[in-house]
Amino acid sequence: MGQVFDLAIIGGGINGCGIARDAAGRGNSVFLCEMNDLASGTSSWSTKLIHGGLRYLEYFEFRLVREALIEREVLWQIAPHIIRPLRFVLPHHAGLRPAWRLRLGLLLYDYIGGRKLLPPTSSLDLSREKVGEPLIPGRFKRGFEYSDCFVDDARLVLLTARDAADRGAEIRTRSRAVSIRQADGLWQVTVEDTLSGARRSISARALVNAAGPWVESVLAEGSGVAPNSKVRLVQGSHIVVPKLYDHDRAYIFQNADGRIVFAIPYQDDFTLIGTTDRDYEGDPAKVKASAEEIGYLCDSVGAYLKKPVSPSDVMWTFSGVRPLYDDGASDAKAATREYVFELDVPKGGAPLLTIFGGKITTYRRLAEEALEKLAPYLHGDKAREGWTAKAPLPGGDFDVFGLGQLIGELRRSYPFLSEAHAARLAGAYGTRAPLLLGTATSMADLGQSFGATLTEREVRYLMANEWAVTAEDVVWRRSKLGLRLSVAEIAAIDGWMIAQRAAPTDGALRKAGGLP
C-alpha cells in the first residue's frame, strides 16, 4: 500500500475539486481521482450561471437562495476573469405570474443576500427600452431587470483543481476508483488508469464520495456502506444558436408549464438557451439532448422573441445529469438543489462522507461544510480555518472591474495579439496569460496555429498545467473553441496531442501534472 493521505476524494467535478482545494489549503495531504477529465460530467453542462435561483423562492428554498446570493459576489471577486456580472430581463407575461409577485420576489432577491457590488433590480418599459426590441411587438409592455453572474463553469473546476495542486494536492485524471475498502483503520482505494490499465493503491484517513451522478456506484465498489439517502437524476439540456440580438443582456422567460428558460449572450457570436428539467434513467455518460427537448427550447424562446428559432438553427447541444438529492418532489423542476451530507464512521474505522445534490454556485460553501464535518479526523495544521472566500483562483488576482485593463496590458506587452485573441486569453487565464505567452514577440513564436486563435503554445500549456489529454478537453472544456473549429481542425489537434504524449517530453508533462 502506498502513501497515506489525510483525505482521498473520488470525483473531479466542482464539489470534489472545491473540497480538495480547501483541504489542501488547510494543510492536509489530499488525493483526488477522476475517472475521466476534470469537469467532464455535470460541472461542465450547466447553464453557466452563478445565481441565487430566483425560481427557488417559489418553493420556499430561502436558505439555499440566500446562501447562493451571498456566494455570487464572493466567487466573482476570487475569479473575475471567468466570472462576470450579467443583467437579466424578465418580461411580464400577463397570463402567468402576476407582476406584483415578480416584483416581490425580486425585492427579496435584492436584499436577502447582502448585495454590495451588483446593481439592483429595476422596472422596465419594454415598449421604449432597447431590450424590448427583440421581443414580439405589442405582446410584452412591462418587465424587470435584475443581476446575477455568468461563469465559465468548466474553467471554474479546472482552476480550482489547479490551485489545489499548487497547494500540494495530487490530482489524478483518467483514474477510476475500482475498489474502496476499510483496512487497519484506513480507507484503501485502488485506482485504475483508464488509458494504460495500470493500477495503484493509496490509503487515506478519510474519504469523500463526490462522484455526482455516480455517487451510488462508488458506494457499491466494496465500501460496505448502504446510503440512507438517494440521488435523483435530472436531465438538463441546452442549445446554442447564432446570436439572436445585439445587446448584452440575458432574458429569463416564463413558460406555461411553470418552468423558465434562459437566453444568454454566449462566446460573443452565439446565444445559449436552456434548460430543461426531466427525470433521467440510464448511464449518465450517455445523456444527450433529445429532439423533444430541442423543440421545447426553440418553442419557449419563440413565444417571446420576434426572431423565430428552429432546430435547424442549432449549432451545438449539450446535456448533463444533475445528481439532486431525492426529496420526493413529484416534478423534476421542483426537486431541491440543496446539498445533503451522509457521514459514516464505522467503529474503529475511517470516515466516509458522501455528497448528494448541490449546485455550482454554492460549491465553495459546500466544501467548507464538508471539512467542518471531517475536521475531527483530519491532521491539517489549519483544520478549522476557512480561507477560500478571500484567496483568488489562479489568474484571478485583480480587481473585479479590471478585466478591460488586463486586456489592454496584455495587448501592450504582446502587440501582435488581436483584440479578440487578447480578450480570450485574459478571460480564460487572467493574470497567468503571460505565463502561457512567455517571451513571444510574434504569432510565429507561439508555434503551430490550429485555427480560431488556438496555438501550439497554448495547447502545450494546457497539457502541462491543466491536465488536458485530448482535443475534446481543449476545445470543449478548457475553451469553447469547438464552436469555431471544423471537425478536421479538431482531429488535427487530437493527432498533434497524441504525438506529443508519445514524445520524450512526456515525462516532463507528467511531472508538471499535465498527464495522468
Side-chain angles (χ1 to χ4, degrees):
M1 194 60 57
Q3 179 181 352
V4 177
F5 291 86
D6 291 321
L7 182 64
I9 302 166
I10 299 174
I14 191 59
N15 290 337
C17 291
I19 293 170
R21 179 190 186 227
D22 198 340
R26 299 185 193 212
N28 297 287
S29 57
V30 177
F31 175 88
L32 180 146
C33 62
E34 160 58 45
M35 64 180 177
N36 297 309
D37 183 25
L38 297 173
S40 58
T42 306
S43 294
S44 62
W45 305 131
S46 77
T47 314
K48 323 300 182 192
L49 299 179
I50 299 294
H51 66 139
L54 181 61
R55 70 186 181 93
Y56 304 147
L57 291 174
E58 289 190 314
Y59 302 107
F60 307 106
E61 299 255 22
F62 297 117
R63 192 208 69 81
L64 173 66
V65 173
R66 182 176 185 276
E67 181 177 77
L69 288 172
I70 293 170
E71 284 298 291
R72 291 180 308 178
E73 294 190 0
V74 172
L75 297 181
W76 180 24
Q77 290 179 88
I78 66 171
H81 48 329
I82 60 168
I83 297 175
R84 60 179 171 83
L86 185 61
R87 294 289 278 174
F88 288 78
V89 175
L90 171 57
H92 172 238
H93 190 301
L96 299 176
R97 297 169 180 86
W100 67 263
R101 184 187 297 177
L102 297 177
R103 190 73 182 101
L104 178 60
L106 288 167
L107 281 171
L108 279 172
Y109 207 71
D110 263 353
Y111 292 108
I112 66 174
R115 176 189 52 79
K116 295 178 181 178
L117 298 174
L118 293 168
T121 296
S122 61
S123 296
L124 297 173
D125 180 347
L126 295 175
S127 65
R128 296 172 178 265
E129 302 277 357
K130 182 179 180 180
V131 295
E133 293 176 4
L135 301 174
I136 296 172
R139 184 174 295 183
F140 307 101
K141 298 179 181 179
R142 185 180 181 187
F144 305 95
E145 188 175 85
Y146 69 95
S147 296
D148 269 322
C149 290
F150 179 87
V151 63
D152 186 327
D153 51 4
R155 289 210 58 76
L156 181 65
V157 178
L158 289 156
L159 295 179
T160 301
R162 181 66 263 164
D163 199 51
D166 290 345
R167 297 175 189 275
E170 183 174 340
I171 309 294
R172 307 299 296 182
T173 64
R174 269 79 180 189
S175 297
R176 185 170 69 91
V178 294
S179 173
I180 57 174
R181 62 189 181 90
Q182 292 263 356
D184 302 323
L186 298 170
W187 281 105
Q188 296 185 348
V189 182
T190 300
V191 296
E192 181 179 85
D193 187 315
T194 59
L195 297 178
S196 69
R199 291 194 172 191
R200 173 193 177 190
S201 294
I202 61 99
S203 298
R205 297 183 179 90
L207 178 64
V208 171
N209 177 5
W214 294 272
V215 66
E216 293 176 355
S217 301
V218 167
L219 293 177
E221 297 291 348
S223 69
V225 175
N228 295 316
S229 303
K230 293 187 70 64
V231 68
R232 179 173 184 173
L233 302 182
V234 174
Q235 178 176 350
S237 296
H238 301 77
I239 60 176
V240 175
V241 300
K243 186 163 65 173
L244 296 176
Y245 50 86
D246 291 331
H247 62 75
D248 62 356
R249 267 53 169 175
Y251 289 97
I252 174 172
F253 298 138
Q254 306 172 76
N255 288 342
D257 60 5
R259 288 188 276 180
I260 56 96
V261 167
F262 293 101
I264 302 169
Y266 191 60
Q267 298 292 314
D268 297 326
D269 300 318
F270 308 96
T271 300
L272 170 65
I273 300 169
T275 180
T276 59
D277 277 301
R278 68 177 191 177
D279 288 310
Y280 180 80
E281 295 182 3
D283 183 354
K286 296 180 179 179
V287 65
K288 64 179 182 178
S290 67
E292 177 188 0
E293 288 178 298
I294 293 170
Y296 172 84
L297 293 173
C298 290
D299 291 344
S300 297
V301 173
Y304 284 84
L305 298 183
K306 61 186 178 185
K307 183 177 182 179
V309 180
S310 70
S312 62
D313 297 318
V314 175
M315 302 185 65
W316 181 46
T317 70
F318 62 88
S319 189
V321 175
R322 306 182 192 99
L324 304 181
Y325 169 69
D326 191 353
D327 63 353
S330 58
D331 294 325
K333 69 176 184 292
T336 183
R337 267 58 175 175
E338 288 271 17
Y339 49 84
V340 174
F341 298 122
E342 280 197 8
L343 180 62
D344 186 86
V345 187
K347 187 175 181 179
L352 167 62
L353 184 68
T354 300
I355 300 171
F356 296 87
K359 60 198 295 273
I360 198 164
T361 303
T362 53
Y363 86 93
R364 195 197 62 81
R365 282 293 298 129
L366 180 151
E368 286 187 333
E369 291 189 26
L371 290 173
E372 287 169 12
K373 289 186 175 295
L374 291 171
Y377 311 99
L378 299 176
H379 293 182
D381 55 5
K382 297 177 287 186
R384 297 186 182 278
E385 299 177 18
W387 60 278
T388 57
K390 299 295 185 182
L393 288 174
D397 50 338
F398 63 96
D399 185 80
V400 290
F401 299 107
L403 184 59
Q405 181 180 344
L406 185 63
I407 294 170
E409 291 173 356
L410 205 57
R411 292 202 74 194
R412 285 190 291 274
S413 299
Y414 301 93
F416 59 88
L417 294 176
S418 68
E419 185 171 353
H421 194 177
R424 184 180 71 79
L425 294 178
Y429 306 103
T431 58
R432 289 198 172 189
L435 295 178
L436 183 159
L437 295 166
T439 59
T441 59
S442 67
M443 285 297 294
D445 290 340
L446 300 181
Q448 182 176 342
S449 173
F450 296 111
T453 73
L454 182 66
T455 63
E456 177 182 331
R457 177 76 63 88
E458 185 172 0
V459 177
R460 285 188 184 278
Y461 178 91
L462 294 173
M463 294 177 75
N465 296 282
E466 294 191 9
W467 300 275
V469 175
T470 69
E472 181 183 355
D473 300 346
V474 171
V475 305
W476 291 118
R477 282 182 286 278
R478 286 147 190 83
S479 74
K480 291 297 181 288
L481 294 176
L483 287 167
R484 304 179 187 279
L485 293 165
S486 68
V487 172
E489 286 172 323
I490 294 172
I493 297 167
D494 234 351
W496 186 89
M497 293 177 73
I498 290 170
Q500 296 307 305
R501 296 204 307 271
T505 54
D506 180 49
L509 285 172
R510 289 182 184 276
K511 186 176 181 181
L515 293 178

